[in-house]
Amino acid sequence: QEQLVESGGGLVQAGGSLRLSCAASGSVFSIYTMGWYRQAPGKQRELVATITSTGSTNYADAMKGRFTISRDNAKNTVSLQMNDLKPEDTAVYYCNAKRIESYWGKGTLVTVSS
């Protein structure tokens, strides 16, 4: 079973940037599709971005052009570079690993002030 630990969240002003990281335990990281999802208070969890084992990426429309997902299979990590942050980006950001089952980290809070 994969264990995921997110880091990098914090408080940032609108227009600023943050880089989130997710470290995965286990020896089969490279075969998982990795993703970032977020959940704001009172809202459903939503897709931010995913990256497949072969490096193909997918972004939600709201993040397109501002966020970049990447992975380093040698280090068992996936990152999310977030630029031009907006107050509506405020949420807990969760790391996800999916193969047959989905595994989730505990999340890291991103707060964007206006």
Side-chain angles (χ1 to χ4, degrees), residues 54-83:
T54 57
S56 297
T57 58
N58 182 58
Y59 298 91
D61 288 344
M63 296 79 180
K64 189 82 171 181
R66 298 190 298 124
F67 292 6
T68 303
I69 188 171
S70 61
R71 68 191 297 161
D72 186 338
N73 289 340
K75 296 182 178 180
N76 283 13
T77 59
V78 61
S79 298
L80 183 71
Q81 179 66 46
M82 305 185 294
N83 298 323

Side-chain angles (χ1 to χ4, degrees), residues 5-99:
V5 180
E6 303 96 335
S7 62
L11 175 64
V12 65
Q13 288 188 309
S17 299
L18 283 175
R19 184 176 179 87
L20 307 182
S21 294
C22 172
S25 299
S27 61
V28 293
F29 173 84
S30 63
I31 69 173
Y32 283 84
T33 292
M34 303 299 299
W36 287 96
Y37 295 74
R38 70 186 187 186
Q39 187 167 24
K43 294 187 176 181
Q44 291 186 309
R45 185 174 60 198
E46 65 176 345
L47 168 73
V48 176
T50 61
I51 183 166
T52 70
S53 61
T54 57
S56 297
T57 58
N58 182 58
Y59 298 91
D61 288 344
M63 296 79 180
K64 189 82 171 181
R66 298 190 298 124
F67 292 6
T68 303
I69 188 171
S70 61
R71 68 191 297 161
D72 186 338
N73 289 340
K75 296 182 178 180
N76 283 13
T77 59
V78 61
S79 298
L80 183 71
Q81 179 66 46
M82 305 185 294
N83 298 323
D84 191 25
L85 284 161
K86 305 177 185 299
E88 53 263 41
D89 295 320
T90 296
V92 176
Y93 284 70
Y94 297 93
C95 181
N96 170 259
K98 182 177 177 62
R99 187 179 60 174

